[in-house]
Amino acid sequence: MKEAATLVNPGPIPATGDRIRRAASRKPAVRIDIERLSLSFGATQVLKGIDLTVEAGEFFAFLGPSGSGKSTLLRAIAGFGPAPEGRILVGGEDIGACPPWQRDVGMVFQSYALWPHLSVARNVAYGLEERHAPREEIRRRVAESLELVGMAQFAARYPAQLSGGQQQRVALARTIAAEPRVLLLDEPLSNLDAGLRVQMREELLALQRALGITTIFVTHDQEEANSICDRIAVMAGGVIQQVGRPVEIYDHPGNEFVARFLGAANLIAGRAERDGSRGVRFRSAEGGFELSLTSDAALGGGHLMIRPQGFDLVEADGPAAAGAGVQIVRAVVRSSEFLGGVLRYSVTAERGVALIVDVRHDRGRPALQAGQSIGLSLRPEQALFIAS
Amino acid sequence: MQRRRSLRPYAVYGVIALFLAIFLVVPVAEVILVAFQDAHTGAVTVVNFQDFFANGLFRESFFNSLYVACVSVVIASAFALPLAYFTSRFNFSGSVLIQTLSFIPLLMPPFIGAIAMQLLLGANGSVNLLLRQHFGFTIPFMEGLNGVILVDSIHYFPFILINLAASLANIDRSMEEAAQSLGSSGLRLFRRIVFPLSMPGFVAGASLVFVKVFDDLGTPLLLNVTKLLPVQAYLRVTSIGITDPMGYVISCILVAFSVFAMWVAFLGMRGKDYATVQRGGGGLAKRNLGPMESAACYAVVLLILVIVLAPHAWLLLLSFATVWSFSVLPSAYTFAHYHSAFTTAIGFILNTVLYAGLAALIDVLIGTAIAYLGQRTEIRFRKWLDHVASAALAIPGVVIGIGYLRAFNSVEMPFSDQSMATWWGVLVVALSVRRLPYALRSCVAGLQQIPVSLEEASQNLGATSFRTILRIVAPLMSGALAAAFVTSFATAAVELSATLMLVSRDADAPISYGIYLFMQTVSGRGSGAALGIIAVLIVGIATFVSHRLLAGARSRVA
């Protein structure tokens, strides 16, 4: 995981020397344990028995659709919202009984929540003032934090005079100036436009690596989570659906929801059953579409998942491609969608099964026409059976 | 894992609940109770209401009050509708003039203008003198109920104008354009789209005017019109005494009609807050006027403005007039009335500043606390404080006065032989309870403008909830709080109905009482007018300051 940091271009964040000195002077990173956490808004249960460990120094994401409880869980860690049942331990210490101001977990709000009546410098100094730090230290750490996010020259401005991206940086500086044990980020990039979002997420990662602070990042954008987080907890309906590294979850979704939520997927309901000695065979619930699976596949009822890029395009009437267990599915193109790097075809395969198939777009090559017959070759490891 | 809860919010809740109970709920409840009680046996009965309606004088007063309130709404609408329509519909250079000048009547409570209107439109007023000289006839503008209707509708029409103009300004232009693209235009478009969309504002304004006129005590008293319900209640209580059940029955009827009118306004507004449905707003498309149309608009606007501003002009003349009777304009001018206002009547002015200032302070403190408890805590029944405090809007000043007399008359103040009901401090409380709804709305709106995340960010960085209120909430609310203070101050400074009931001696009286006192004699009218002008200035300056503060607060938070 640590190697990943070196791959990221620290880019616009200046003062590398400062950052390292600062990183060295920080408190050691702590881990967060959440045990059987449940929470209700009135009669509605929003979190249902969450168990989770975030390792020290990890960049962790809560990923889920709106209403999944991810923000509620983050706010519960910070001490906001109704009191939950269960335990929250930060660095082994139960903080459940502490009011928000005694928890020492820094939070960056989705709306940034900069105070409009205080200048940038006063905003950043706030946490240190509340901790009764000496004036000289406040001055120094405010300057350092603003330097760290590249906002030093804006110290005298007021929040209303800053752009969205600048406000975002000030909000970050304000939180890290107080040197919290944990950094909580509540959809911090959702109010930025697309280009800035990509830049800011790289800066965020560089900053987190430099500080080495345990960080939880809430987002509904799987690309955001995949690109910068060490591990992800996918949430839905107040329950953690799956925890793991981004690639792990993408390739081995634990259930139908996770498969659908992380990227496009073909999901076909049906059963997987042992097929003599040769292996496992999948048969769809409707239409009797069949495919062979790898012999270690799960058995029983569930869904077959194939990512759109899992197919390779072959001639419709061409010979079966070489390779162990490669199967050919015959299909007819219905429509196509140009996504830039790839063309996404909606096709009707044998037995009326609807599939989406991604084909790399080569410059100048025309798209296949609707009604055209094609063959799709599928290597067995590209098909995953998810038992329910 | 129960987080430790602070007890402080509960303590604040308790103190405010107690205050509202003692100074609003109990007095009003007692008034209603007494109305339904047999005066001798104390048994529950409706016999008092039967007595009320059996009495010809009361019956007449009842229908007079209804008539006056309804006709005033109609006349006020006649003033307000063209002004609202012109400003929202046309590119009309007079719009700023309308918006500014039409607020001026609100600066002056109607009773102050009543005498000025007598001089202008009364039987021997300037207009009728001219009519008699040149045409040989007169118009009974101010005869009997006409006078009350005229004075009240001139003073209260801005309520309809403000609400209606706000409704019109909030209509999204695309609503009108959508109707046009579907084939609707002209009068049909107005009837089917513009009029229904502006209804909530009109209903809100109209019901406010109805309540204000129905409950007005000062104007009829000064115009010597006694056959109206508030006057009858006042006269019964001051002449026969606080044991007479008729004052309470009338109070009950006043409250019932106020509540009814508020309910109508609520129904009109409920689920029809069209403004928030659509983002943008921006009002209707404005079109340019041709020169003739423009001239016609100006003529209408100027006519209305002349009518509504005439009381102020005549009050000003009166305050400078030496002798003024049976002449179109005063025969000679003097500063003597201002001199006497600042010498003999300085006590009234100082009392006003003290009472209104204290009442406004109480309102801001309680208003802020209620707003905070309602929006930022989880206390059960937290919205009830807001509901109860706002209910004061439906309680006429006469009823507050009678209720206080009833509830506190037997309570002796320490260190004096005075009754609590006539102690000046109770007048301050009465003023603060009556103006609390206005201050409260300002405080609630001020707090609503502050996103909760600003407070959470503060707590997240280590500030306790109390420190957060001090460092984040209070500074961000300061504009709204100042506006609430000034609004309360300005309206409390010219309150008359509860004041008339509760002031026991001249030394304790505020300026509104002083004006009332002076205006009753011909020789005192000049000084009364001078005091009236001073009151208008106090309220005017306060209102101007409040607008500036609110604008400042909005620009900073937004």
Side-chain angles (χ1 to χ4, degrees):
Chain A
M1 270 172 258
K2 288 292 172 197
E3 293 86 332
T6 60
L7 296 176
V8 173
N9 172 20
I13 289 195
T16 312
D18 234 22
R19 211 165 68 221
I20 289 166
R21 180 169 55 75
R22 204 183 137 75
S25 71
R26 282 191 55 87
K27 312 168 190 174
V30 293
R31 65 181 249 170
I32 302 169
D33 297 282
I34 295 165
E35 297 173 359
R36 297 180 314 283
L37 198 80
S38 294
L39 187 149
S40 302
F41 288 117
T44 331
Q45 202 177 8
V46 188
L47 296 176
K48 300 166 185 165
I50 304 282
D51 276 297
L52 185 71
T53 295
V54 179
E55 298 296 341
E58 201 171 24
F59 200 151
F60 196 91
F62 294 166
L63 175 65
S66 53
S68 59
K70 56 190 191 303
S71 276
T72 308
L73 179 55
L74 192 80
R75 289 168 55 78
I77 298 173
F80 298 122
E85 291 164 36
R87 302 208 302 163
I88 300 172
L89 297 101
V90 173
E93 168 205 351
D94 188 348
I95 58 167
C98 299
W101 49 91
Q102 285 167 10
R103 294 194 174 201
D104 197 20
V105 295
M107 180 150 166
V108 176
F109 291 80
Q110 183 173 10
S111 59
Y112 315 139
L114 297 178
W115 302 300
H117 62 304
L118 301 178
S119 68
V120 165
R122 294 289 313 280
N123 261 282
V124 176
Y126 191 92
L128 298 163
E129 286 166 8
E130 288 300 324
R131 285 165 170 73
H132 304 293
R135 187 170 302 182
E136 187 48 36
E137 191 191 339
I138 293 178
R139 204 192 50 74
R140 182 175 56 78
R141 274 163 67 177
V142 167
E144 271 176 11
S145 303
L146 285 175
E147 188 76 22
L148 203 58
V149 297
M151 290 294 292
Q153 67 272 39
F154 297 100
R157 294 252 190 120
Y158 280 82
Q161 300 168 302
L162 302 178
S163 71
Q166 291 169 333
Q167 291 186 14
Q168 164 78 82
R169 287 161 200 242
V170 174
L172 253 173
R174 182 176 71 180
T175 306
I176 59 181
E179 301 202 344
R181 293 180 294 174
V182 171
L183 187 58
L184 306 175
L185 307 167
D186 189 5
E187 306 226 15
L189 307 178
S190 62
N191 286 338
L192 303 177
D193 58 52
L196 197 54
R197 205 178 309 163
V198 173
Q199 185 194 332
M200 274 308 293
R201 79 185 184 206
E202 285 168 8
E203 290 187 27
L204 259 182
L205 179 60
L207 192 67
Q208 193 267 344
R209 293 304 185 222
L211 298 175
I213 184 173
T214 312
T215 301
I216 301 177
F217 182 92
V218 164
T219 180
H220 62 267
D221 182 339
Q222 44 112 2
E223 186 191 315
E224 235 168 66
N226 285 340
S227 59
I228 57 174
C229 294
D230 299 321
R231 286 199 303 151
I232 295 173
V234 181
M235 293 186 65
V239 175
I240 292 187
Q241 305 288 330
Q242 193 172 3
V243 179
R245 291 187 297 117
V247 177
E248 222 170 77
I249 298 181
Y250 187 82
D251 284 350
H252 300 278
N255 59 37
E256 188 201 347
F257 173 84
V258 176
R260 278 189 203 281
F261 194 72
L262 267 85
N266 293 295
L267 284 154
I268 308 163
R271 292 188 68 80
E273 264 149 18
R274 198 155 289 286
D275 182 27
S277 56
R278 284 175 301 167
V280 180
R281 196 148 178 86
F282 170 82
R283 192 183 157 83
S284 74
E286 277 175 43
F289 174 78
E290 290 192 23
L291 267 183
S292 291
L293 303 178
T294 52
S295 53
D296 59 350
L299 299 174
H303 286 84
L304 183 71
M305 183 196 83
I306 307 168
R307 297 284 179 197
Q309 69 276 23
F311 296 101
D312 288 313
L313 197 62
V314 295
E315 293 294 310
D317 45 1
V326 172
Q327 303 166 78
I328 303 287
V329 177
R330 296 189 190 287
V332 175
V333 173
R334 282 189 290 126
S335 63
S336 70
E337 207 182 338
F338 178 58
L339 301 180
V342 297
L343 277 151
R344 176 163 293 171
Y345 292 102
S346 299
V347 304
T348 308
E350 297 157 11
R351 310 261 179 182
V353 175
L355 296 173
I356 52 170
V357 179
D358 283 355
V359 178
R360 197 186 77 189
H361 171 66
D362 291 328
R363 189 158 177 272
R365 192 168 72 182
L368 299 172
Q369 295 303 305
Q372 206 168 334
S373 292
I374 54 169
L376 300 169
S377 82
L378 179 73
R379 279 172 290 127
E381 74 274 12
Q382 293 300 318
L384 174 76
F385 181 72
I386 306 167
S388 45
Chain B
M1 189 171 96
Q2 198 56 48
R3 232 172 277 155
R4 200 169 52 82
R5 292 243 172 259
S6 165
L7 287 177
R8 197 182 280 130
Y10 291 91
V12 174
Y13 187 101
V15 169
I16 295 173
L18 201 66
F19 176 86
L20 290 176
I22 294 175
F23 293 111
L24 179 61
V25 177
V26 169
V28 174
E30 206 156 329
V31 166
I32 294 170
L33 216 64
V34 173
F36 285 98
Q37 245 174 15
D38 189 290
H40 305 293
T41 62
V44 175
T45 171
V46 290
V47 77
N48 296 332
F49 284 84
Q50 288 167 349
D51 288 351
F52 174 85
F53 282 105
N55 183 320
L57 174 65
F58 288 149
R59 255 202 328 268
E60 195 187 340
S61 304
F62 175 76
F63 289 114
N64 280 347
S65 274
L66 270 184
Y67 168 79
V68 166
C70 290
V71 176
S72 296
V73 168
V74 172
I75 295 181
S77 304
F79 287 138
L81 285 173
L83 296 183
Y85 191 69
F86 290 162
T87 49
S88 62
R89 202 66 224 224
F90 305 125
N91 281 322
F92 181 46
S93 52
S95 293
V96 184
L97 190 73
I98 295 176
Q99 276 156 10
T100 318
L101 293 185
S102 59
F103 283 87
I104 289 179
L106 282 186
L107 301 181
M108 180 162 81
F111 74 91
I112 295 183
I115 294 297
M117 289 291 280
Q118 281 281 33
L119 286 169
L120 176 63
L121 294 173
N124 295 314
S126 310
V127 171
N128 276 329
L129 283 178
L130 285 174
L131 283 176
R132 197 177 298 149
Q133 264 169 28
H134 296 284
F135 303 102
F137 72 96
T138 58
I139 301 173
F141 295 108
M142 301 295 288
E143 290 308 304
L145 301 178
N146 290 355
V148 182
I149 292 171
L150 200 59
V151 170
D152 276 347
S153 45
I154 283 176
H155 280 92
Y156 289 130
F157 89 92
F159 284 122
I160 297 181
L161 176 60
I162 294 166
N163 282 296
L164 185 59
S167 261
L168 285 169
N170 277 331
I171 298 176
D172 195 320
R173 187 167 302 180
S174 63
M175 303 249 180
E176 191 188 16
E177 287 168 354
Q180 282 170 339
S181 75
L182 290 169
S184 188
S185 68
L187 209 59
R188 196 172 160 75
L189 174 74
F190 179 82
R191 186 169 61 78
R192 298 193 58 186
I193 305 294
V194 177
F195 182 69
L197 286 178
S198 57
M199 249 341 242
F202 175 74
V203 171
S207 46
L208 206 55
V209 171
F210 180 92
V211 171
K212 290 270 179 193
V213 177
F214 197 72
D215 297 342
D216 191 11
L217 173 64
T219 308
L221 268 184
L222 272 169
L223 293 176
N224 210 13
V225 176
T226 56
K227 289 178 181 174
L228 286 171
L229 286 183
V231 186
Q232 285 301 321
Y234 171 72
L235 292 178
R236 288 299 278 211
V237 168
T238 47
S239 59
I240 300 180
I242 57 166
T243 50
D244 175 59
M246 281 308 116
Y248 299 92
V249 171
I250 296 172
S251 293
C252 258
I253 294 170
L254 291 177
V255 171
F257 272 88
S258 294
V259 169
F260 174 73
M262 295 287 163
W263 181 65
V264 169
F266 171 73
L267 283 190
M269 300 292 272
R270 191 182 54 178
K272 292 187 182 155
D273 200 357
Y274 302 119
T276 56
V277 177
Q278 290 283 330
R279 285 201 158 253
L284 300 165
K286 291 186 180 179
R287 70 179 178 87
N288 290 318
L289 289 171
M292 288 304 288
E293 290 173 311
S294 195
C297 279
Y298 263 110
V300 173
V301 167
L302 286 177
L303 178 69
I304 293 174
L305 289 181
V306 162
I307 294 174
V308 300
L309 295 180
H312 296 75
W314 254 249
L315 187 72
L316 196 64
L317 280 180
L318 181 58
S319 73
F320 286 115
T322 46
V323 188
W324 188 5
S325 65
F326 291 99
S327 62
V328 176
L329 289 173
S331 31
Y333 298 92
T334 173
F335 279 104
H337 301 314
Y338 285 92
H339 183 257
S340 77
F342 277 113
T343 51
T344 58
I346 188 74
F348 294 136
I349 299 172
L350 294 180
N351 281 343
T352 299
V353 173
L354 175 69
Y355 297 175
L358 283 176
L361 192 67
I362 294 173
D363 282 349
V364 168
L365 289 176
I366 294 183
T368 313
I370 292 179
Y372 194 85
L373 290 173
Q375 290 179 36
R376 298 292 200 261
T377 67
E378 301 290 318
I379 296 178
R380 287 184 66 170
F381 308 120
R382 59 188 180 279
K383 295 284 180 200
W384 277 93
L385 289 181
D386 191 326
H387 296 329
V388 173
S390 302
L393 207 58
I395 309 299
V398 181
V399 179
I400 290 276
I402 293 178
Y404 276 33
L405 286 178
R406 173 84 192 186
F408 306 125
N409 211 24
S410 52
V411 183
E412 290 281 318
M413 289 305 296
F415 312 117
S416 75
D417 52 358
Q418 206 177 3
S419 145
M420 183 172 164
T422 52
W423 177 53
W424 67 268
V426 162
L427 178 58
V428 170
V429 171
L431 293 177
S432 71
V433 166
R434 288 211 68 199
R435 301 316 183 204
L436 182 55
Y438 305 103
L440 178 59
R441 288 278 74 80
S442 182
C443 293
V444 165
L447 187 59
Q448 254 163 3
Q449 281 182 343
I450 305 175
V452 184
S453 63
L454 293 187
E455 287 156 67
E456 289 178 344
S458 163
Q459 298 188 355
N460 182 255
L461 287 169
T464 63
S465 41
F466 184 70
R467 295 271 306 160
T468 300
I469 292 175
L470 216 62
R471 292 196 65 186
I472 305 296
V473 182
L476 287 177
M477 272 184 84
S478 58
L481 294 187
F485 179 90
V486 178
T487 313
S488 268
F489 178 87
T491 49
V494 288
E495 205 276 358
L496 182 64
S497 38
T499 306
L500 268 185
M501 298 265 184
L502 295 175
V503 167
S504 59
R505 45 174 204 217
D506 291 357
D508 282 345
I511 200 165
S512 53
Y513 190 89
I515 296 167
Y516 175 71
L517 224 56
F518 277 115
M519 287 291 195
Q520 282 175 328
T521 61
V522 174
S523 58
R525 285 193 325 200
S527 303
L531 273 181
I533 293 292
I534 292 169
V536 170
L537 285 179
I538 292 176
V539 176
I541 292 169
T543 308
F544 177 73
V545 170
S546 127
H547 275 275
R548 292 300 296 267
L549 289 171
L550 265 185
R554 262 197 297 272
S555 70
R556 206 163 54 169
V557 176

